[in-house]
Structures are given as structure tokens and as C-alpha cells.
């Protein structure tokens, strides 16, 4: 099932990426009054948790540096109800998918079937220990097939993310450290140039790199050691294992059917860069 979870991640991630890469979601959030991309990001992603303080959002998101959540939460909700941000996120993401996929694919029986099977998996896993996933499970499942596919893919993405956080915590890898290891796994060097962390103070980044060197995970040149590469691979393997539970709800035949129906959707999104 870990292999299944990895394959499903590969198929579903391009569906989720429209939320972050395409224009429609940002435009919907800006129309509500969110001043910046990050205001909309934090407000709409964290909204299913309720009006929790920044410290809770920081803990749930895990990978952001200290203070980043507090720059947007709770101020992003002061004039815009969380429910409005959730709805805008769904509208924008659905519009992006429809534009990229085109009417023929977006309205196809195969997409409807993919949405149904993805929703079955996404609504079947235990919520214990899955904060972000549990929050999304409280939201209504959309009736429109394209919106339903996006919503269910997003639930599975956050379910996987919750498990990834658990794997990182178990390996004693902090959020910024995780970005460094991810950058190296993607072949980015120096890892401090990675887009998710390059804006952080140089002193902070230097301390993170020194910590990873002290643990023998990166070398003097800021590249993977064997131990660092093995640690990253172990975290990814555990993430796959922890992400497998939703797919227990589908028989082997239905999993094969889901893969077959998702493949043309994913291929179209990948070709467009999900934007």
C-alpha cells in the first residue's frame, strides 16, 4: 500500500497545485480583500481549523519559519470570514482545473468516476492525529465533479502532509531543516537558495546549516552526506506508509480504475505546469 500511496501522490499532486500556481485562486482571494498572496494562502488553508491563533497554524503547517504565520493570522480574518476564504479557494481552484482540462475532459464520465473514487478514499481514513485532514473533513463535499475531485485530492494531500509532519518530528527534523533536505533532494545547491527559505535571515539559515552539519546530515560544502540522504529517504518511505490508509477503502480493481481515470487528467495538468 505504500507503493499505492506514492503513485496516488504523483497522480493527485498536479490537481492540488492549481491552488498555488494558477491565477484563478489568487484572483478570487484578492477579490475578497486579501492584500497579498500569503494573506490568502494562510487564511484559506488554515480556515478549516477555525479561528485558531497563529501558534496553532504554525504548528499545523510545520514548515514555516517562526513568526511567518503571525504575519497573516489572525489579521487575514479580521474583515474576511474564514468561510469566505474557503469558498474562494474552492471556486478559484475549480475554475483553474476547468480551464486547463477543457470542457471535454472536465465533463467526461471518466473525471466523474475519478472524483467519486477519490472522494471515497478521502472520506474513509481515520482522523486521529491528522489535524489538517480533520479540519477539511468538516467541510461539505462539493456536488460539482471537478470541484469534488479537487476537494478530495486536497484532503488526501493534507492527510499525507500530516503524516509527513509526524515522520519529520520522529526524525527530529525541523521545518526549515526539512526544506534544506528537500532542496538537496531536488538537486538545488546551495540549498539556502531554495524558494521556500531564501528570504530568511542569513544568520538563521547559517544556524540551520550548522545544525545539520553537526548531525552529520550535510557536509562542509552544504551537500548531502550518506547519512543525510538515508534520513531523507527514510522519511519519505515512512510518509508513503502513513499515507496509505485512505486507499484501504478501495478494492484492487477500483484502485486500478482510479489510476486509469486519473492518468489523462494528470498528464494534461503536468503538461500545463498546473497553471
Amino acid at each position: 500500500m505504500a507503493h499505492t500511496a506514492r503513485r496516488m501522490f504523483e497522480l493527485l499532486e498536479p490537481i492540488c497545485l492549481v491552488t498555488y500556481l494558477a491565477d484563478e485562486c489568487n484572483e478570487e482571494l484578492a477579490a475578497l480583500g486579501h492584500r497579498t498572496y500569503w494573506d490568502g494562502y494562510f487564511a484559506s488553508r488554515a480556515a478549516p481549523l477555525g479561528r485558531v491563533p497563529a501558534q496553532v497554524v504554525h504548528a499545523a503547517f510545520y514548515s514555516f519559519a517562526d513568526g511567518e504565520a503571525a504575519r497573516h493570522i489572525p489579521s487575514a480574518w479580521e474583515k474576511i470570514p474564514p468561510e469566505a476564504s474557503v469558498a474562494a479557494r474552492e471556486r478559484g481552484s475549480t475554475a483553474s482545473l476547468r480551464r486547463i482540462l477543457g470542457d471535454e475532459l472536465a465533463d467526461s464520465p471518466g473525471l466523474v468516476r475519478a472524483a467519486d473514487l477519490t472522494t471515497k478514499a478521502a472520506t474513509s481514513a481515520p482522523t486521529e492525529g491528522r489535524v489538517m485532514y480533520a479540519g477539511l473533513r468538516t467541510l461539505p463535499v462539493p456536488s460539482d465533479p471537478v470541484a469534488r475531485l479537487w476537494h478530495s485530492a486536497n484532503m488526501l494531500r493534507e492527510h499525507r502532509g500530516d503524516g509527513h509532519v509526524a515522520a519529520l518530528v520522529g526524525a527530529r527534523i525541523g521545518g526549515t531543516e526539512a526544506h534544506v533536505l528537500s532542496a538537496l533532494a531536488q538537486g538545488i545547491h546551495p540549498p539556502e537558495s531554495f524558494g521556500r527559505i531564501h528570504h530568511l535571515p542569513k544568520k538563521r539559515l547559517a544556524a540551520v546549516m550548522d545544525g545539520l552539519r553537526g548531525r552529520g546530515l550535510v557536509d562542509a560544502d552544504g551537500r548531502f552526506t550518506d547519512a543525510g540522504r538515508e534520513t531523507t529517504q527514510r522519511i519519505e518511505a515512512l510518509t508513503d506508509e502513513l499515507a496509505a490508509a485512505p486507499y484501504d477503502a478501495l478494492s484492487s480493481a477500483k484502485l486500478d480504475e482510479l489510476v486509469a481515470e486519473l492518468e489523462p487528467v494528470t498528464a494534461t495538468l503536468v503538461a500545463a505546469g498546473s497553471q
Side-chain angles (χ1 to χ4, degrees):
M1 290 305 292
H3 172 75
T4 296
R6 170 60 61 168
R7 179 62 178 142
M8 292 307 302
F9 170 69
E10 294 168 350
L11 288 168
L12 294 173
E13 182 70 357
I15 296 171
C16 301
L17 288 180
V18 299
T19 304
Y20 309 104
L21 300 179
D23 292 333
E24 286 89 343
C25 187
N26 294 332
E27 291 169 354
E28 288 280 356
L29 290 166
L32 284 182
H34 290 298
R35 298 165 300 172
T36 69
Y37 171 90
W38 290 110
D39 277 350
Y41 172 92
F42 277 92
S44 63
R45 186 181 171 210
L49 301 178
R51 293 178 181 266
V52 296
Q55 294 92 327
V56 175
V57 175
H58 175 72
F61 285 14
Y62 193 73
S63 61
F64 286 88
D66 291 346
E68 289 192 314
R71 285 200 287 272
H72 309 279
I73 300 296
S75 62
W77 293 334
E78 288 174 354
K79 296 181 180 179
I80 304 167
E83 298 79 7
S85 295
V86 167
R89 194 178 202 239
E90 180 185 306
R91 285 195 306 271
S93 300
T94 302
S96 295
L97 287 175
R98 282 198 166 275
R99 171 179 56 80
I100 297 169
L101 296 176
D103 292 341
E104 183 175 354
L105 187 51
D107 295 328
S108 67
L111 185 137
V112 174
R113 183 57 173 160
D116 290 343
L117 291 172
T118 303
T119 300
K120 173 65 173 176
T123 56
S124 298
T127 58
E128 290 84 357
R130 309 275 182 166
V131 175
M132 293 299 298
Y133 172 65
L136 285 175
R137 283 284 298 274
T138 68
L139 301 181
V141 176
S143 58
D144 173 74
V146 177
R148 186 163 69 250
L149 178 61
W150 171 80
H151 176 72
S152 298
N154 192 47
M155 279 197 285
L156 290 166
R157 186 180 202 261
E158 294 289 18
H159 178 278
R160 181 184 179 87
D162 287 331
H164 187 57
V165 169
L168 290 168
V169 171
R172 297 184 300 112
I173 299 295
T176 306
E177 292 176 327
H179 283 315
V180 170
L181 299 184
S182 177
L184 290 173
Q186 295 175 59
I188 298 171
H189 191 268
E192 299 97 316
S193 66
F194 185 35
R196 291 294 301 272
I197 59 174
H198 72 87
H199 62 286
L200 298 178
K202 291 183 178 180
K203 185 176 180 180
R204 166 65 177 152
L205 289 174
V208 169
M209 294 301 296
D210 286 344
L212 290 171
R213 288 189 186 95
R215 295 173 59 185
L217 301 179
V218 300
D219 62 20
D221 191 37
R223 299 182 186 275
F224 267 140
T225 62
D226 289 343
R229 187 174 291 103
E230 190 277 331
T231 296
T232 300
Q233 292 170 348
R234 187 172 68 250
I235 289 168
E236 287 301 307
L238 180 55
T239 298
D240 287 340
E241 182 180 340
L242 294 174
Y247 306 107
D248 290 338
L250 301 178
S251 67
S252 178
K254 287 183 177 180
L255 278 170
D256 289 343
E257 183 183 5
L258 177 55
V259 168
E261 300 295 5
L262 282 175
E263 282 178 340
V265 172
T266 300
T268 302
L269 291 166
V270 169
S274 290
Q275 60 183 319

